[in-house]
């Protein structure tokens, strides 16, 4: 099949998919922007309530577009849940295992939040918990296979957490620096609506001020979803926030919820020595994941000694003893059992955070779960008031919120914004990682589209085999007639980095042949994506 023919057919054959407008049940709000920009007054062009990924990015972009901008953030530190108690402290900073191996082999000092006993003085690296725990696990279980001998390895949890806090602190200060550079006014405090153009702020120093704006954007993010009868104390019963600050490694950790966050945090403490049991009401882990990839992923986690109790309901939690006792029963009903743990992580999802905003005071409409309804321009039913990120329908992801923020202020500035919600990548930051973009095989089947699947195992990838990290696969789903890529799913080391080639391909309507005929450097794990593309439209070479 010639590439030119593929491109021609691709233009001729379109796969029907939900438009971004369908994500917003408030699409009836189609009023035209009519407010002018401030000219020399104390009134802002744009006021943003919330300084998380969506809010701070929107603030910087608005300022870059020449709009007088104020951002209000209640924490007193920018970056929101993601940076302060979520994505950044739980994931790793960019330090490669190879660097650690080289340093150890040369008898250089190394400090990664754990200690190599009798290895000399300590050198601090910037790491966060997922990466630090992975390094510990590798040092304990894999270094010997690479000819690197270490006499003993110990976990130093306080040092690991201190390094996590340092990384978070540096990044939050970095955002403040960007605010200053772009002349964004930063107000530290809790904002609530007085009117569609006024926000009252209870400042963190105990005062109060009123911030006026012609356009106000709600970007307050989300909070942990609670479960009936379970009180989170952030000590024995913790959310993801408390799980990032445990003072010692629990002997047994029970995770309620088998989604992204629960599996990631369970993975952290499992690597550090906890017995991890995941209790999930549904029949599968990560229900949004492609079914075939999900099965391999679960097997991988089970090999890492993570245990799963699926189709299981938590009936009650008892904290009267020294530990925590859970009463469980089958999701469909049946005999109850008990399970004890040192710590329980509640990870049953997140809910929009709109408490105290006084949305009812301005008449902003919300749905039954508290999400603010907006149209395709992020406008609410209240003229001049907008919402982005986790407080509106759509994926609750930091990078999605950032895209919302940029598009929203572009619309406010009279430009055209754009976010394609069918092409938001998702990543589970375990090891191996699992990343996806586009549709799952199950979704394509539901649409009734004829399709082809191409797969390539990491075991056949030279780079993965060379570094002894070859668990996983790449799976590509393409429309049968046009060869247009519909979805890509990757389980591999650094899958979160590999997925963006696929995201770009989907954004431009590429065929699997387009990727297959693009030269990929050797040896790299990216070649697995090329081989999977070859398997989709023809045949792979290396299997």
């Amino acid at each position: 099949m010639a590439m030119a023919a593929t491109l021609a057919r691709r233009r001729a054959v379109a796969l029907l998919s939900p438009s971004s407008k369908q994500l917003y049940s408030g699409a009836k709000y189609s009023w035209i922007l009519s407010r002018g920009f401030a000219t020399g007054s104390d009134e802002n062009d744009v006021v943003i309530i919330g300084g998380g990924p969506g809010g701070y990015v929107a603030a910087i972009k608005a300022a870059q577009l020449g709009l007088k901008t104020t951002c209000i953030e209640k924490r007193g530190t920018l970056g929101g849940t993601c940076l302060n108690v979520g994505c950044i402290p739980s994931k790793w900073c960019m330090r490669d295992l190879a660097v650690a191996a080289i340093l150890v082999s040369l008898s250089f000092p190394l400090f990664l939040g754990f200690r190599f006993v009798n290895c000399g003085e300590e050198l601090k690296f910037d790491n966060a918990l997922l990466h630090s725990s992975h390094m510990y696990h590798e040092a304990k279980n894999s270094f010997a296979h690479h000819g690197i001998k270490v006499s003993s390895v110990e976990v130093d949890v306080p040092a690991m957490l201190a390094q996590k806090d340092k990384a978070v602190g540096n990044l939050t200060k970095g955002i403040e620096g960007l605010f200053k550079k772009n002349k964004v006014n930063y107000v530290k405090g809790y904002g609530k609506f007085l009117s569609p153009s006024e926000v009252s702020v209870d400042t963190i120093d105990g005062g109060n001020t009123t911030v006026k704006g012609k356009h106000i954007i709600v970007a307050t993010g989300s909070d942990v979803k609670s479960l009936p009868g379970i009180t989170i104390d952030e000590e024995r019963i913790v959310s993801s926030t408390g799980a990032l600050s445990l003072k010692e490694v629990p002997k047994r950790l029970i995770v309620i919820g088998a989604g992204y966050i629960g599996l990631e945090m369970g993975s952290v403490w499992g690597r550090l020595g906890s017995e991890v049991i995941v209790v999930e009401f549904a029949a599968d882990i990560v229900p949004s994941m492609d079914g075939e990839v999900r099965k391999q992923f679960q097997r991988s986690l089970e090999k890492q000694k993570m245990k799963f109790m699926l189709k299981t309901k938590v009936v009650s939690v008892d904290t009267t003893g020294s530990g925590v006792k859970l009463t469980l029963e089958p999701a469909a009903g049946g005999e109850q059992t008990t399970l004890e743990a040192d710590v329980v992580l509640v990870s049953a999802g997140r809910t929009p955070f709109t408490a105290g905003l006084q949305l009812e005071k301005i008449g902003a409409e919300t749905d039954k779960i508290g999400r603010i309804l907006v149209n395709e321009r992020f406008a609410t039913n209240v003229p001049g008031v907008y919402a982005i990120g986790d407080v509106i329908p759509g994926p609750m992801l930091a990078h999605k919120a950032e895209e919302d923020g940029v598009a929203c202020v572009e619309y406010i500035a009279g430009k055209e914004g754009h976010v394609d919600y069918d092409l938001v990548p998702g990543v589970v930051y375990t090891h191996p990682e699992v990343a996806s973009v586009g549709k799952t095989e199950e979704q394509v089947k539901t649409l009734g589209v004829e399709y082809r699947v191409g797969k390539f195992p990491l075991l056949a990838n030279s780079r993965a085999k060379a570094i002894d990290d070859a668990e996983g696969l790449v799976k590509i789903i393409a429309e049968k007639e046009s060869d247009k890529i519909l979805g890509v799913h990757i389980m591999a080391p650094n899958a979160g980095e590999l997925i963006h080639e696929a995201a770009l391909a989907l954004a431009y309507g590429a065929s699997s042949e387009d990727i297959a005929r693009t030269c990929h450097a050797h040896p790299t794990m990216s070649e697995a994506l090329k081989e999977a593309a070859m398997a989709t439209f023809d045949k792979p070479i290396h299997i």
Side-chain angles (χ1 to χ4, degrees):
M1 179 188 307
M3 187 179 294
T6 301
L7 290 169
R9 269 203 305 278
R10 193 166 72 236
R11 294 189 182 97
V13 180
L15 175 69
L16 293 176
S17 63
S19 69
S20 61
K21 294 182 182 180
Q22 289 177 304
L23 286 172
Y24 300 98
S25 51
K28 62 183 179 181
Y29 309 134
S30 58
W31 54 273
I32 304 299
L33 298 173
S34 59
R35 296 184 170 204
F37 297 147
T39 55
S41 70
D42 291 335
E43 189 173 27
N44 295 273
D45 296 324
V46 178
V47 173
I48 298 157
I49 307 175
Y56 88 73
V57 167
I60 292 171
K61 185 63 178 178
Q64 289 174 345
L65 292 171
L67 307 180
K68 184 178 179 182
T69 305
T70 291
C71 183
I72 302 165
E73 169 53 47
K74 66 183 176 65
R75 291 179 193 274
T77 55
L78 295 164
T81 296
C82 175
L83 179 48
N84 287 275
V85 292
C87 316
I88 298 300
S90 65
K91 278 70 170 177
W92 73 95
C93 296
M94 298 308 294
R95 298 291 183 182
D96 192 84
L97 175 60
V99 177
I102 293 169
L103 288 172
V104 174
S105 66
L106 294 175
S107 298
F108 272 51
L110 181 63
F111 181 71
L112 293 159
F114 55 87
R115 289 198 293 261
F116 291 87
V117 178
N118 299 324
C119 283
E121 297 296 316
E122 296 174 333
L123 174 66
K124 185 172 287 188
F125 275 4
D126 287 336
N127 287 270
L129 294 186
L130 269 164
H131 188 53
S132 295
S133 63
H134 174 59
M135 296 290 282
Y136 169 71
H137 184 269
E138 290 293 295
K140 190 175 180 181
N141 298 284
S142 301
F143 275 16
H145 297 299
H146 294 272
I148 303 167
K149 295 183 179 180
V150 181
S151 58
S152 180
V153 184
E154 295 178 354
V155 176
D156 187 343
V157 173
M160 187 180 291
L161 296 179
Q163 175 53 36
K164 176 262 295 183
D165 292 339
K166 180 182 177 182
V168 169
N170 288 340
L171 288 168
T172 56
K173 289 175 184 175
I175 300 172
E176 286 194 36
L178 291 172
F179 271 19
K180 291 178 182 178
K181 176 184 176 183
N182 291 280
K183 299 181 180 179
V184 175
N185 185 36
Y186 175 25
V187 178
K188 299 179 180 181
Y190 201 111
K192 54 189 175 184
F193 282 99
L194 294 177
S195 73
S197 60
E198 294 176 302
V199 179
S200 173
V201 183
D202 295 324
T203 59
I204 60 174
D205 60 8
N208 179 271
T209 187
T210 298
V211 180
K212 297 180 180 181
K214 293 184 178 295
H215 306 279
I216 298 178
I217 302 172
V218 179
T220 47
S222 59
D223 201 358
V224 175
K225 183 184 290 185
S226 59
L227 292 175
I230 300 178
T231 301
I232 295 174
D233 59 19
E234 299 297 13
E235 292 183 4
R236 288 186 294 173
I237 302 179
V238 302
S239 66
S240 55
T241 301
L244 289 166
S245 302
L246 296 178
K247 296 178 177 63
E248 60 184 11
V249 179
K251 291 182 180 179
R252 174 180 280 183
L253 172 69
I254 293 177
V255 179
I256 302 176
Y260 284 40
I261 298 172
L263 296 180
E264 288 172 357
M265 295 312 306
S267 178
V268 165
W269 294 106
R271 292 171 193 164
L272 297 178
S274 294
E275 177 190 2
V276 179
I277 302 173
V278 180
V279 179
E280 170 57 51
F281 185 83
D284 298 299
I285 67 172
V286 197
S288 60
M289 190 177 289
D290 181 89
E292 181 180 14
V293 176
R294 181 198 302 124
K295 290 177 182 178
Q296 287 207 31
F297 181 41
Q298 183 173 336
R299 286 197 294 268
S300 174
L301 294 175
E302 288 170 340
K303 284 196 296 182
Q304 297 172 42
K305 300 182 180 180
M306 191 179 289
K307 300 174 184 176
F308 292 91
M309 298 180 68
L310 304 177
K311 299 181 182 179
T312 302
K313 177 183 178 181
V314 178
V315 177
S316 64
V317 176
D318 182 2
T319 58
T320 55
S322 58
V324 184
K325 182 182 290 186
L326 279 75
T327 300
L328 311 173
E329 69 179 22
E335 184 179 351
Q336 293 186 347
T337 57
T338 59
L339 194 61
E340 295 187 1
D342 301 286
V343 175
V344 173
L345 167 61
V346 178
S347 184
R350 299 187 66 82
T351 187
F353 183 79
T354 57
L357 280 174
Q358 298 187 160
L359 293 173
E360 68 285 352
K361 193 167 189 174
I362 62 171
E365 293 189 14
T366 59
D367 65 13
K368 62 182 180 181
I369 61 173
R371 296 177 301 188
I372 300 172
L373 300 179
V374 296
N375 66 9
E376 67 275 9
R377 289 175 173 261
F378 305 96
T380 70
N381 63 307
V382 181
V385 178
Y386 308 78
I388 62 171
D390 288 2
V391 295
I392 66 174
M396 287 185 170
L397 296 169
H399 44 285
K400 177 264 189 185
E402 291 182 6
E403 297 299 312
D404 284 356
V406 171
C408 181
V409 296
E410 285 177 333
Y411 284 127
I412 288 172
K415 300 178 180 294
E416 285 298 317
H418 171 74
V419 185
D420 188 338
Y421 294 102
D422 290 329
L423 301 182
V424 176
V427 186
V428 186
Y429 291 97
T430 49
H431 191 89
E433 295 175 357
V434 181
S436 63
V437 66
K439 301 190 184 304
T440 65
E441 187 171 356
E442 291 76 15
Q443 289 171 331
V444 174
K445 283 181 179 177
T446 300
L447 289 170
V449 176
E450 292 189 13
Y451 65 96
R452 292 198 300 260
V453 172
K455 291 176 283 188
F456 190 79
L458 267 289
L459 278 170
N461 176 264
S462 57
R463 179 67 180 269
K465 292 185 71 175
I467 65 172
D468 193 25
D469 205 352
E471 185 175 20
L473 80 161
V474 178
K475 177 177 179 179
I476 295 178
I477 305 161
E479 201 267 341
K480 186 174 182 180
E481 182 178 351
S482 69
D483 192 36
K484 179 180 179 179
I485 299 172
L486 306 179
V488 178
H489 308 273
I490 305 174
M491 175 179 159
N494 295 332
E497 305 296 332
L498 299 177
I499 197 64
H500 297 103
E501 179 183 354
L504 188 62
L506 267 72
Y508 279 89
S511 66
S512 67
E513 186 179 1
D514 291 335
I515 292 181
R517 292 189 180 277
T518 300
C519 185
H520 288 61
H522 173 78
T524 63
M525 291 193 185
S526 296
E527 290 177 287
L529 182 61
K530 174 185 173 74
E531 292 271 4
M534 295 173 70
T536 307
F537 92 96
D538 190 13
K539 294 180 180 179
I541 296 295
H542 291 96
I543 190 172

